[in-house]
Amino acid sequence: MAEFLQFAFSGLTVGAIYALVALGFTLIYNASDVINFAQGEFVMLGGMVTVFALAAGVPLPLAAVVAVVITVAIGLALYRFAIEPARGASAVSLIIITIGASILLRGLASLAFDKNFHSLPSFAGSKPIMLGGAAVLPQSIIVLIGAGVIVLALWLFMARSLTGKAVAATAANRLAARLVGINTGAMVGLSFAVSAAIGAVGGILAAPITLTSYDVGTLLALKGFAAAMLGGMGNPLGAVVGGLAVGLLEAFGAGYLSSSYKDAIAFIVILAVLFVMPQGLLGRTHIERV
Amino acid sequence: MRRFFANPYLVVVATALAVLLLPLLLESSFYLRIATLVFIFSLAVVGLNLLMGFAGQVSLGHAGFFGIGAYAVAIGPTSLGVPSWLALLAGALGAGLIAFVIGRPILRLRGHYLAVATLGMGLLIAMVFNNEAAWTGGPDGMLVPQLDVAGWTVHGTHAWYWIAGVSLVIGTWIAANVIASPTGRTLRAIHDSEVAARVLGVDVAHYKLIAFVLSAIYAAVAGSYLSLYDGLVTPTEAGFLRSIEFVTMAVLGGLGSVFGSIVGAAVLVVLPQVLTVFQDYEHIMLGLMMIVVMVFLPTGIVPALAGVLQRRTP
């Protein structure tokens, strides 16, 4: 039982990070139909900028804020200079653009920072807490709480604020949204900014546990994308469920089956789910007009 | 004039001429090596373009098939005692068979769901190469014995230039045949509208599967060539970045254009060689170029240029 709990906690911690990446995918996809493969780079930037700001003598809270602001600026630049000019291009072209952006950001990060692994000090000490026989790092709890707060804040923003509703309207039907006076371009830009911020916060929260380096983004983007698809693309709740599911699958797969095939187990389950439910766990059925 | 350019066999002739004439222009064996690599990658991308450009189905896992071909010629001779040429054939057949078996369930998925499923498939294949170290040498990879055909050992850039070049000509010829055949027309119909094609009585799943299997065989043969030519194979040949590279080559050159596949492969093989001068800036330049080309030429290099030419010629 202690072993089971241990795996569950580590799975939930990693899963929370995947959920944040998947949430970023979902937000941008809903607003602009773009699968943003640079989403993982937002997570990398959050962690790396914080690490280097901290090393430069900036206190941790301020370093974290600086990291989020810089990442948001890069997210907006990505939208303004790469996505918006290519509007109307095919889905594959847009995917290539975001992959190009992710290669570009990785190259810039390896120059601006370095190619080593870095870690942040834990925000609340490093003495593990014993829960039902399982040792849990305080940072894991911070990751889980942090992810929960982000999801809640995002939900409140989307459901309660006028701006959030404008974003949702843009996602539902861009033309109709423009007809009722919504600045749809700004809303898409906003969703890029929010996605970048969510990614950056995820990167900062996870850095004390998972380490960060200039190239952590690729794998995170893959897992986050897979999680978003598992949950059903375009569904924020699905993204969270998918992220946690991928994290748990990995942790239990690594613990009970084989650690070298832990990624395989997650993907086999994803393939199996898609075969049975081609629209993901919580996705809508696709209807096409001919 | 327009009809002349639209002829799918034009690219076969052009490729054959290029293969014949390039050695006259490229004197150093360094350039010849790059040309050989362009031919090998073109072969994989021409196949992928049949799937992506004509059938309209995305694959983010084609490096998996490339890796199957690459490892077949490595494992066959060293562990199983199979001669290289037979291992090459077995690799191509094996990749085609795997594509056939998993193609049916995978190709039911659409759009981004298909992308993630092929992505998972590619990652699974790469993981096997990474983890089964007893067979594959693990992450460090393994040495590949030279190809031996009827007592003649194939090695060196010159030999591989001609093998890869002739294979590419044959590959474009087969692709041109497929495109000009009723199968090619059906694939284009599926690309335009899957539902409309189905309403017209097209067995959509069957034709998608044909394109998928064909493209897997192209990729496997290309993979075998690369690992035989390099004498070394590592799991990165089957990895995600390699898959992305293939997709980028196909899209950059132009989906639905066989000539575009070759141009796309040439750009992405030659460019890093040029950019090594800039060392640390290599990735930045590559990323920037991908963005700039896609923003300004969203349909790819060759279709965009062909559009300009067509507007000029009345």
Side-chain angles (χ1 to χ4, degrees):
Chain A
M1 190 59 198
E3 199 183 45
F4 178 86
L5 271 181
Q6 188 72 61
F7 295 148
F9 277 122
S10 70
L12 283 176
T13 311
V14 184
I17 301 298
Y18 294 160
L20 290 182
V21 179
L23 211 51
F25 269 109
T26 306
L27 276 178
I28 290 184
Y29 175 77
N30 274 348
S32 63
D33 285 331
V34 173
I35 299 282
N36 175 29
F37 272 100
Q39 191 66 35
E41 268 60 39
F42 294 157
V43 180
M44 176 272 288
L45 284 169
M48 288 296 272
V49 174
T50 312
V51 165
F52 276 78
L54 200 65
V58 182
L60 182 63
L62 191 61
V65 172
V66 169
V68 173
V69 169
I70 289 181
T71 311
V72 166
I74 289 177
L76 283 173
L78 170 68
Y79 168 64
R80 178 64 190 81
F81 296 114
I83 304 295
E84 206 194 8
R87 213 161 65 202
S90 70
V92 186
S93 302
L94 287 167
I95 285 182
I96 303 283
I97 288 178
T98 63
I99 289 173
S102 109
I103 295 175
L104 172 68
L105 287 174
R106 228 178 299 146
L108 286 172
S110 73
L111 274 187
F113 309 120
D114 57 21
K115 295 190 175 179
N116 301 325
F117 278 95
H118 296 279
S119 172
L120 283 173
S122 177
F123 301 167
S126 52
K127 194 168 176 296
I129 302 163
M130 298 307 286
L131 274 178
V136 184
L137 287 172
Q139 188 67 32
S140 292
I141 296 170
I142 292 180
V143 168
L144 284 174
I145 293 175
V149 168
I150 289 177
V151 170
L152 198 67
L154 189 69
W155 177 75
L156 280 176
F157 171 68
M158 294 299 268
R160 296 293 158 89
S161 79
L162 194 61
T163 318
K165 284 179 180 165
V167 173
T170 309
N173 188 330
R174 187 185 281 243
L175 188 65
R178 189 176 298 159
L179 282 174
V180 296
I182 294 170
N183 183 350
T184 51
M187 291 307 127
V188 179
L190 181 65
S191 56
F192 270 82
V194 173
S195 285
I198 291 177
V201 172
I204 298 166
L205 290 176
I209 303 179
T210 57
L211 300 183
T212 186
S213 83
Y214 79 104
D215 62 352
V216 291
T218 315
L219 207 60
L220 277 172
L222 288 187
K223 299 284 179 59
F225 176 48
M229 303 313 290
L230 178 65
M233 197 70 199
N235 184 330
L237 182 64
V240 175
V241 171
L244 292 177
V246 171
L248 286 171
L249 279 170
E250 266 183 33
F252 285 119
Y256 290 120
L257 296 169
S258 147
S259 61
S260 52
Y261 278 105
K262 69 173 172 128
D263 295 332
I265 297 154
F267 271 103
I268 287 172
V269 172
I270 289 169
L271 286 177
V273 168
L274 288 180
F275 291 156
V276 184
M277 290 182 267
Q279 306 295 326
L281 290 172
L282 301 173
R284 277 165 303 180
T285 314
H286 181 85
I287 301 166
E288 186 187 345
R289 281 184 77 155
V290 185
Chain B
M1 196 68 176
R2 199 170 290 183
R3 186 171 290 176
F4 175 72
F5 277 118
N7 189 333
Y9 291 95
L10 180 69
V11 60
V12 184
V13 179
T15 312
L17 280 176
V19 172
L20 281 174
L21 296 179
L22 267 179
L24 302 177
L25 300 170
L26 306 174
E27 283 165 3
S28 98
S29 67
F30 173 71
Y31 292 123
L32 217 55
R33 177 183 159 76
I34 293 177
T36 310
L37 291 177
V38 170
F39 293 159
I40 293 175
F41 280 100
S42 297
L43 197 58
V45 180
V46 167
L48 182 60
N49 212 337
L50 284 179
L51 180 70
M52 288 184 58
F54 291 93
Q57 308 299 311
V58 185
S59 170
L60 293 183
H62 249 57
F65 299 124
F66 191 77
I68 288 175
Y71 273 98
V73 290
I75 297 172
T78 42
S79 302
L80 304 173
V82 180
S84 291
W85 64 268
L86 195 62
L88 193 155
L89 284 181
L93 267 180
L97 201 66
I98 290 177
F100 181 76
V101 172
I102 55 179
R104 223 163 236 283
I106 271 191
L107 291 168
R108 271 180 43 224
L109 302 169
R110 314 163 64 118
H112 299 311
Y113 292 94
L114 177 64
V116 81
T118 50
L119 172 75
M121 172 204 78
L123 287 182
L124 289 179
I125 296 174
M127 253 177 263
V128 171
F129 293 138
N130 230 329
N131 290 332
E132 298 305 317
W135 290 88
T136 64
D140 296 335
M142 64 189 294
L143 293 174
V144 183
Q146 285 172 341
L147 179 62
D148 193 281
V149 184
W152 178 53
T153 309
V154 183
H155 65 97
T157 297
H158 272 277
W160 277 107
Y161 175 88
W162 291 111
I163 293 179
V166 171
S167 301
L168 179 61
V169 174
I170 296 172
T172 51
W173 179 68
I174 294 174
N177 271 343
V178 171
I179 293 162
S181 72
T183 305
R185 275 203 304 279
T186 314
L187 288 177
R188 283 197 293 278
I190 294 174
H191 188 179
D192 288 343
S193 168
E194 207 174 309
V195 178
R198 185 173 294 139
V199 170
L200 290 172
V202 170
D203 184 352
V204 171
H206 174 73
Y207 282 96
K208 280 193 206 171
L209 196 60
I210 291 179
F212 194 56
V213 170
L214 262 180
S215 66
I217 293 174
Y218 270 88
V221 171
S224 293
Y225 282 1
L226 185 70
S227 83
L228 283 168
Y229 178 41
D230 277 345
L232 177 78
V233 57
T234 63
T236 50
E237 299 303 346
F240 172 65
L241 289 177
R242 185 63 89 199
S243 290
I244 287 301
E245 198 177 8
F246 289 146
V247 174
T248 310
M249 285 170 175
V251 177
L252 212 60
L255 286 180
S257 158
V258 177
F259 187 51
S261 303
I262 300 172
V263 170
V267 169
L268 279 202
V269 170
V270 173
L271 200 72
Q273 304 288 344
V274 179
L275 293 181
T276 45
V277 184
F278 300 99
Q279 284 186 0
D280 291 343
Y281 298 91
E282 186 188 334
H283 282 109
I284 297 177
M285 307 277 257
L286 186 66
L288 264 183
M289 197 212 55
M290 282 163 72
I291 297 175
V292 168
V293 172
M294 281 296 102
V295 167
F296 291 105
L297 310 171
T299 53
I301 296 171
V302 170
L305 291 183
V308 172
L309 267 184
Q310 279 193 353
R311 255 172 280 141
R312 290 257 172 93
T313 49

